[in-house]
């Protein structure tokens, strides 16, 4: 099975929005297998989105079951047309990206989310995710909308100031 | 191969420091690498990796003079694309007191912790200053081991929390 080429910055195609999947056919399943092969070929990626390999359809794969420290997760997920329906809380965390070599940065994401997505067979499922897995999903949905974590990076200082505000609010 | 120099420019903050400095570098065919620039206590401080064939001190001297900045240039054995990714974050908060940074970082160093970034600030009021610091770094020791190493400081009224950074690659 071929390993697909990953688009990297400054490739303008990474800013392109992806279209919903309408055909849940063998061709889709073959592509998903190649996308998964590509995710596993690189350095331990917990997720990948179809537009990262130049296919502009709303398909993501994530797997948070192998993190260094265990986190709450739903195992290996293939999500078609994922749509976040609810956001709650916020958390600062460090992100890197297969499409952004040799750079990591701090990004604020919702801490808990609810989402609706279809399976590769087209069945609709709902999920509730939290912390790290929720972060990965938001990172992937951004790819589908033509956004990179670079579009959301905040200063390292942000954490300091959040803490200040929090402290003020609590006294 | 590039020969990098580390340029330090410090002076009273005013609009245009970055624009004029980087324009002077550009006009003299000098290239920026990694940089860190920040306002600290009303001063603007710049640390920049710079390389290129142009005469660096001649390029920057007029800007430094015009904006009243102190200029310092060092040869360094620097390279790009050598990033280390931190796996531990430490947050420190407590009543401002002498030696707080030394005691926290001393305990960490004794545990083999390598600091990649440290930022600190003084919040609160002039009457009741609160020292806030975040540190990101690399350690082979576990969160629990590092937390134990700094726990004795909490008896001195300093709140130190150690957490893992799980950097996402996706
Ligand atoms: Zn990514």
């Amino acid at each position: 099975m071929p390993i697909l080429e990953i688009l990297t910055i400054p490739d303008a195609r990474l800013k392109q929005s992806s279209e919903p999947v309408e055909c849940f056919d063998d061709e889709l399943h073959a592509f998903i297998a190649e996308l998964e092969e590509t995710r596993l070929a690189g350095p331990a990626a917990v997720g990948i989105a179809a537009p990262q390999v130049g296919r502009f359809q709303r398909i993501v794969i994530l797997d948070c079951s192998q993190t260094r420290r265990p986190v709450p997760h739903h195992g290996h997920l293939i999500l078609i047309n994922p749509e976040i329906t609810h956001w709650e809380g916020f958390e600062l965390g460090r992100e890197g990206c297969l499409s952004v070599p040799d750079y990591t940065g701090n990004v604020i994401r919702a801490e808990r989310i609810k989402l609706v997505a279809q399976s590769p067979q087209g069945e609709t499922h709902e999920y509730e995710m939290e912390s790290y897995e929720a972060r990965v999903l938001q990172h992937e949905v951004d790819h589908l909308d033509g956004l990179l974590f670079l579009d959301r990076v905040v200063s390292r200082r942000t954490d300091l100031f959040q803490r200040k505000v929090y402290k003020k609010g609590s006294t | 191969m590039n020969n990098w120099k580390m340029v330090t420019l410090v002076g009273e903050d005013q609009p245009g420091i970055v624009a004029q400095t980087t324009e002077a570098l550009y006009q003299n065919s000098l290239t920026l690498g990694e940089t860190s620039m920040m306002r600290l206590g009303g001063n603007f401080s710049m640390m920049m990796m710079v390389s290129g064939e142009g005469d660096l001190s001649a390029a920057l001297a007029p800007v430094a003079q015009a904006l009243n900045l102190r200029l310092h240039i060092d040869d360094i054995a620097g390279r790009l694309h050598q990033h280390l990714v931190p796996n531990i974050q430490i947050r420190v908060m407590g009543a401002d007191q002498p030696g707080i940074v030394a005691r926290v970082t001393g305990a960490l160093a004794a545990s083999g912790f390598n600091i990649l970034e440290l930022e600190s600030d003084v919040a609160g009021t002039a009457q009741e200053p609160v020292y806030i610091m975040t540190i990101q770094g690399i350690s082979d020791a576990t969160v629990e081991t590092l937390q134990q190493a700094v726990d004795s400081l909490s008896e001195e009224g300093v709140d130190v929390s150690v957490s893992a950074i799980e950097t996402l690659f996706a």
Side-chain angles (χ1 to χ4, degrees), chain A residues 14 47-49 52 95-100 109 136 139-140 142-143 147-149, chain B residues 168-170:
Chain A
L14 288 166
I48 193 167
Q52 287 182 279
E95 301 188 14
C97 181
L98 296 170
S99 299
V100 184
R109 302 281 189 189
V136 176
H139 179 113
E140 298 310 339
D142 267 359
H143 277 303
L147 291 168
L148 297 172
F149 81 94
Chain B
L168 167 170
F169 284 98

Side-chain angles (χ1 to χ4, degrees), chain A residues 20-123:
Chain A
V21 171
E22 280 160 8
C23 264
F24 295 81
D25 55 7
D26 288 347
E27 194 277 332
L28 174 70
H29 301 153
F31 168 72
I32 290 169
E34 289 180 4
L35 186 64
E36 174 66 354
E37 192 82 1
T38 305
R39 178 181 77 87
L40 295 172
V46 288
I48 193 167
Q52 287 182 279
V53 297
R55 175 154 167 156
F56 300 95
Q57 280 191 303
R58 306 186 78 83
I59 303 163
V60 308
I61 301 176
L62 57 151
D63 185 353
C64 298
S65 64
Q66 309 291 323
T67 50
R68 216 158 25 102
R69 298 190 140 236
V71 294
H73 65 84
H74 291 81
H76 185 271
L77 291 176
I78 299 163
L79 302 176
I80 314 296
N81 303 327
E83 197 177 322
I84 301 173
T85 55
H86 181 81
W87 292 261
E88 209 182 308
F90 62 87
E91 219 171 31
L92 195 71
R94 203 174 185 99
E95 301 188 14
C97 181
L98 296 170
S99 299
V100 184
D102 196 40
Y103 187 80
T104 59
N106 288 321
V107 180
I108 294 170
R109 302 281 189 189
E111 203 178 348
R112 283 174 298 282
I113 54 172
K114 291 180 187 170
L115 63 132
V116 182
Q118 286 167 284
S119 72
Q121 284 69 41
E123 301 141 5

